[in-house]
């Protein structure tokens, strides 16, 4: 595997569920760590939401290996958010990099 160019700072966030004053469950996001990452070439694709097609970006993101990575987490990059959209890949079981299959979230999904 070619060495990734880890030139972007992203924040790994995890969900925290709590209850508001009316008893509704709400989800907030808490920062876990800020790490260097590489965004690979985005592959545009469409998916269906209700009765219309919305464009999203499928983006493989590479970070240094983390043993405790949970696919329910998300990445924050500036004012953009990326949901992990599958199981992180540990190339050749080398424990050097993790490739995270991500999908950029639209503002309505954040």
């Amino acid at each position: 595997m070619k060495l990734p160019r880890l030139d972007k700072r992203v924040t790994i966030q995890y969900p925290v569920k709590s209850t508001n004053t009316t008893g509704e469950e709400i989800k907030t996001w808490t920062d876990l760590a800020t790490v260097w990452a590489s965004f690979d070439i985005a592959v545009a694709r469409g998916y269906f939401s209700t009765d219309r097609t919305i464009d999203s970006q499928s983006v493989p993101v590479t970070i240094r290996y983390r043993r405790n990575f949970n696919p329910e987490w998300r990445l924050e990059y500036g004012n953009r958010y990326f949901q992990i959209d599958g199981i992180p890949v540990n190339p050749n079981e080398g424990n050097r990099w993790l490739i995270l299959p991500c999908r950029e979230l639209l503002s309505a999904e954040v």
Side-chain angles (χ1 to χ4, degrees):
M1 176 180 172
K2 183 177 101 175
L3 290 176
R5 184 176 173 184
L6 304 178
D7 59 352
K8 309 282 190 276
R9 290 295 272 176
V10 299
T11 301
I12 300 170
Q13 298 181 321
Y14 65 92
V16 176
K17 293 181 182 175
S18 59
T19 310
N20 66 13
T21 56
T22 61
E24 294 176 300
E25 187 175 277
I26 57 172
K27 179 169 52 170
T28 58
W29 293 89
T30 301
D31 294 350
L32 176 70
T34 300
V35 299
W36 289 103
S38 170
F39 287 76
D40 294 333
I41 297 172
V43 179
R45 70 174 183 193
Y47 68 95
F48 291 95
S49 174
T50 62
D51 59 348
R52 59 192 175 102
T53 301
I54 299 174
D55 292 327
S56 73
Q57 295 291 321
S58 177
V59 182
V61 178
T62 303
I63 63 171
R64 286 192 172 88
Y65 179 78
R66 294 180 66 92
R67 185 175 50 191
N68 62 343
F69 205 87
N70 186 325
E72 293 179 7
W73 298 346
R74 74 177 185 183
L75 303 176
E76 177 187 41
Y77 176 59
N79 62 352
R80 298 165 65 190
Y81 296 90
F82 296 85
Q83 183 66 51
I84 287 112
D85 210 17
I87 298 171
V89 175
N90 178 5
N92 301 320
E93 298 297 318
N95 295 349
R96 192 163 182 198
W97 315 108
L98 275 183
I99 301 172
L100 311 172
C102 294
R103 175 178 60 87
E104 185 168 4
L105 298 174
L106 303 171
S107 59
E109 298 176 287
V110 177

